[in-house]
Amino acid sequence: MKTLILYYTFGGSTKKEAERLAAELGAPLYRVREARNRSFLASFFPGAYLAMRRKAVTIRPLDIHLQDYDRIIIGCPVWAGYPAPAFNAVVELLPRGKEVELFFCSGGSGTQKSAQGTKELVEKKDCTVVSYRDIKTGVPPGKMKND
Ligand SMILES: Cc1cc2nc3c(=O)[nH]c(=O)nc-3n(C[C@H](O)[C@H](O)[C@H](O)COP(=O)(O)O)c2cc1C
């Protein structure tokens, strides 16, 4: 089974977890980036607001073929209890019929209020959510240096 790890990060902690997973699974890793460089202030507004409304943001074109993989692992930070809006852009690109694993990095509150809706978003793409993990990083909101 071919597995790909896709992740979006703002502060670097999702990147760390994605890299750990890539080493463990021997799977390729791909960083999803927003088309525009978001400031720390803009992660809250409009970022967190868009997350709560499950809106997608424009991401840089992916130069990999998602169709080539059977299982796609998606990692993303939690903003205001919801996946950061880059996640919604990734879900839009999912080909049908994939197995999807999700992990969400939050400071500590997790994704209790959004988890069910997030799984449904993926399932609407005719994909199967085979695993869902909340990772409580204890990392306060912040933007990765030199990014
Ligand atoms: C705009 C914004 C909103 C956040 N909202 C939450 C939240 O609702 N609950 C929480 O536990 N952490 C929240 N955090 C903290 C991040 O989820 C946490 O630091 C996570 O590890 C970040 O992952 P990253 O370093 O890959 O960006 C927020 C961070 C930002 C920037």
Side-chain angles (χ1 to χ4, degrees):
M1 170 175 294
K2 282 185 78 180
T3 301
L4 171 71
I5 303 169
L6 285 178
Y7 71 96
Y8 169 77
T9 192
F10 187 67
S13 50
T14 309
K15 176 174 191 274
K16 224 187 250 178
E17 172 62 15
E19 286 171 348
R20 191 197 62 74
L21 211 54
E24 184 183 306
L25 303 176
L29 189 60
Y30 188 89
R31 181 177 175 190
V32 172
R33 304 185 72 136
E34 286 192 64
R36 295 183 64 181
N37 191 5
R38 185 178 292 280
S39 68
F40 180 57
L41 196 65
S43 69
F44 282 91
F45 192 82
Y49 175 76
L50 294 171
M52 288 167 70
R53 305 199 60 196
R54 295 201 188 272
K55 299 287 185 195
V57 285
T58 307
I59 56 172
R60 295 190 196 171
L62 302 186
D63 54 9
I64 37 163
H65 294 290
L66 300 185
Q67 193 56 60
D68 293 349
Y69 297 89
D70 310 298
R71 180 172 292 200
I72 299 172
I73 302 178
I74 308 172
C76 186
V78 172
W79 288 358
Y82 287 77
F87 173 81
N88 301 317
V90 171
V91 170
E92 284 178 2
L93 298 176
L94 281 175
R96 299 175 64 168
K98 301 297 174 189
E99 291 190 354
V100 175
E101 288 188 27
L102 301 172
F103 71 89
F104 295 102
C105 293
S106 69
S109 71
T111 57
Q112 215 178 349
K113 63 180 169 185
S114 59
Q116 188 55 36
T118 300
K119 289 178 199 165
E120 284 168 9
L121 267 187
V122 173
E123 285 159 2
K124 269 193 204 147
K125 300 292 295 186
D126 285 333
C127 291
T128 309
V129 178
V130 294
S131 140
Y132 184 106
R133 284 192 303 139
D134 264 320
I135 298 171
K136 299 183 179 176
T137 62
V139 175
K143 181 173 159 76
M144 204 154 57
K145 282 198 186 94
N146 307 318
D147 197 39

